[in-house]
Amino acid sequence: YPITPQTHIVEHLSELVANGELDAEFIPVESEHTAMSVAVGASATGARVYTATSAQGLALMHEILFIASSMRLPVVMTVANRALSAPISIWNDHSDIMAERDIAWIQTFAINGQEAYDLTFHAFRVSEDERVQLPVVVNIDGFTLSHVIEPIEITDKETADKYLPPRKPIFTLHPDHPVTMGPVGIPEVYTEARRQLEVAVLNSKEIIIEAWKEFAQIFGREYHPIETYKTKDAEVIFVTMGSVTETAMLAVDLLREKGEKVGLVYIRLWRPFPHKEFYDAIKKAKALAVLDRAISYGTSAGPVYTEIRSSLYDKRKRPAIYGFVAGLGGRDIPAERFFEMLDVVKSEKAEGPQYLHLDVKED
């Protein structure tokens, strides 16, 4: 179902199917809620299923997102991250997906076009693994990635098939072999069912990493849950997600030229959160400057900031953590924003962890 800024994804897929270039069933529906409902039904019959959405469309899917994961259906979805209304905004931030942190879907973030392409293959590979059987979201920043043309390496079908064989469903809906999916969960079984789902999401990390290693062997491009940039001797580390990461790299380079010992850690795997890998990447730093592109209302913090603060709470040795919000509703985040973050961290007035909006002046 179309919604800016992901519409051209489904439009192009419809062209591929109509032209006979893609052997698939293209199903137009009347809403995003129905789109995910159809995805659930199609996946339950054993089909390989894909859809895409954004912002209010993702919010309208909300009810069915839980059903897809609870029924352990390997649906893959691209979310072209966009600000939620109101006021109406078609531009990028992460408020849509941060409202869906607890849907029990595996979630990754791309920083550029190549990653958006590669992570889609990876999503199917992980989702359909018999040890996982969970839906996957691939997050791409709306407009910044969805509408910007850049050179990427496109694979051939033979190589793609080598990495991603046909789906082999474990259980399927079929009139000749009836099964029950998604029955009523009375109190005596509901808790156990939810615990099984929690364990499944946590255990998927091992297979996610394994699938990235296989991807590197076949395609020659390496991916990890947590990536680092110039962190070896860094005293202050910026933490980012999504396409702003490449701007942060530029900022690190410019600050390094001025003698500042700064580095960058960016989170590629958001769910399940890679606690160990994150701690290993930041444990030698004195301070973290975490950039959020969404607000966790009522907590005086951003969602990534609270996640990291929680992750490090039980560590005896941990850096000071500073939370920043910027880039809401598509507002630009230039390299200078990271200079401002560093100034706050280094300020003699800073008495500990802080939470600041960089784009507005607080009274």
Side-chain angles (χ1 to χ4, degrees):
Y1 190 82
I3 183 171
T4 303
Q6 75 83 17
T7 301
H8 64 292
I9 297 176
V10 291
E11 282 183 340
H12 187 56
L13 284 171
S14 70
E15 292 174 359
L16 294 174
V17 173
N19 294 338
E21 300 174 68
L22 178 64
D23 183 13
E25 292 294 327
F26 185 87
I27 307 176
V29 293
E30 74 278 7
S31 74
E32 290 90 347
H33 185 280
T34 306
M36 184 50 58
S37 298
V38 171
V40 164
S43 184
T45 66
R48 174 171 286 164
V49 179
Y50 172 86
T51 189
T53 193
S54 180
Q56 314 307 129
L58 181 64
L60 186 55
M61 287 181 174
H62 181 76
E63 175 190 0
I64 313 301
L65 298 175
F66 292 93
I67 295 173
S69 56
S70 299
M71 292 176 61
R72 307 292 296 276
L73 297 172
V75 176
V76 171
M77 176 166 62
T78 299
V79 175
N81 301 124
R82 168 189 150 184
L84 289 172
S85 303
I88 296 173
S89 172
I90 63 169
W91 294 276
N92 167 242
D93 66 27
H94 292 163
S95 58
D96 56 0
I97 196 60
M98 290 304 162
E100 308 293 348
R101 283 177 289 168
D102 298 325
I103 54 176
W105 286 51
I106 295 167
Q107 298 184 30
T108 58
F109 275 79
I111 70 171
N112 54 38
Q114 187 68 61
E115 289 194 9
Y117 179 79
D118 291 350
L119 291 178
T120 304
F121 285 101
H122 175 261
F124 280 108
R125 174 68 179 79
V126 170
S127 181
E128 295 175 0
D129 190 295
E130 63 180 9
R131 298 166 293 176
V132 178
Q133 297 292 300
L134 288 167
V136 180
V137 164
V138 177
N139 290 284
I140 66 172
D141 284 346
F143 289 107
T144 311
L145 296 186
S146 65
H147 281 65
V148 173
I149 296 175
E150 58 181 312
I152 65 173
E153 294 184 24
I154 303 293
T155 189
D156 58 81
K157 188 176 186 304
E158 182 179 342
T159 305
D161 289 343
K162 183 178 180 181
Y163 181 70
L164 186 61
R167 180 189 172 192
K168 295 180 180 179
I170 299 175
F171 300 105
T172 59
L173 291 176
H174 194 283
D176 295 338
H177 306 283
V179 297
T180 298
M181 292 188 180
V184 172
I186 58 177
E188 287 75 13
V189 301
Y190 185 85
T191 298
E192 287 74 15
R194 303 312 290 180
R195 175 57 179 163
Q196 287 179 352
L197 180 58
E198 180 186 26
V199 170
V201 175
L202 292 172
N203 288 347
S204 70
K205 191 179 83 168
E206 180 180 344
I207 293 89
I208 291 167
I209 295 172
E210 176 187 300
W212 270 327
K213 291 179 179 178
E214 293 175 3
F215 189 94
Q217 293 172 355
I218 295 174
F219 296 91
R221 294 184 291 277
E222 294 188 12
Y223 294 106
H224 305 92
I226 299 293
E227 302 283 3
T228 63
Y229 184 71
K230 297 187 177 181
T231 57
K232 188 174 182 180
D233 64 340
E235 295 180 354
V236 177
I237 291 178
F238 300 116
V239 181
T240 61
M241 294 169 64
S243 61
V244 74
T245 296
E246 294 189 333
T247 303
M249 291 178 180
L250 172 61
V252 168
D253 291 342
L254 294 173
L255 289 168
R256 283 275 176 175
E257 291 175 2
K258 298 179 180 180
E260 301 285 358
K261 291 184 177 181
V262 297
L264 171 68
V265 165
Y266 53 103
I267 301 168
R268 176 170 291 116
L269 179 62
W270 176 234
R271 285 293 184 269
F273 190 83
H275 296 281
K276 179 182 183 302
E277 290 82 357
F278 184 80
Y279 182 66
D280 288 345
I282 57 85
K283 60 185 177 182
K284 295 181 181 179
K286 293 181 180 180
L288 304 181
V290 182
L291 180 63
D292 267 287
R293 301 198 64 193
I295 300 171
S296 185
Y297 295 96
T299 64
S300 293
V304 180
Y305 171 72
T306 56
E307 186 88 14
I308 290 170
R309 188 172 57 182
S310 174
S311 179
L312 301 180
Y313 178 79
D314 62 350
K315 304 297 182 184
R316 288 188 176 182
K317 182 181 179 181
R318 60 179 182 268
I321 310 170
Y322 296 79
F324 301 89
V325 171
L328 300 183
R331 187 167 297 186
D332 190 29
I333 305 177
E336 288 75 16
R337 280 289 179 268
F338 293 92
F339 302 169
E340 296 174 26
M341 293 165 67
L342 181 62
D343 288 342
V344 171
V345 173
K346 292 175 62 179
S347 172
E348 293 180 358
K349 297 179 181 179
E351 299 177 353
Q354 293 190 6
Y355 167 69
L356 298 172
H357 282 257
L358 294 176
D359 295 332
V360 295
K361 300 297 183 182
E362 303 286 359
D363 294 330

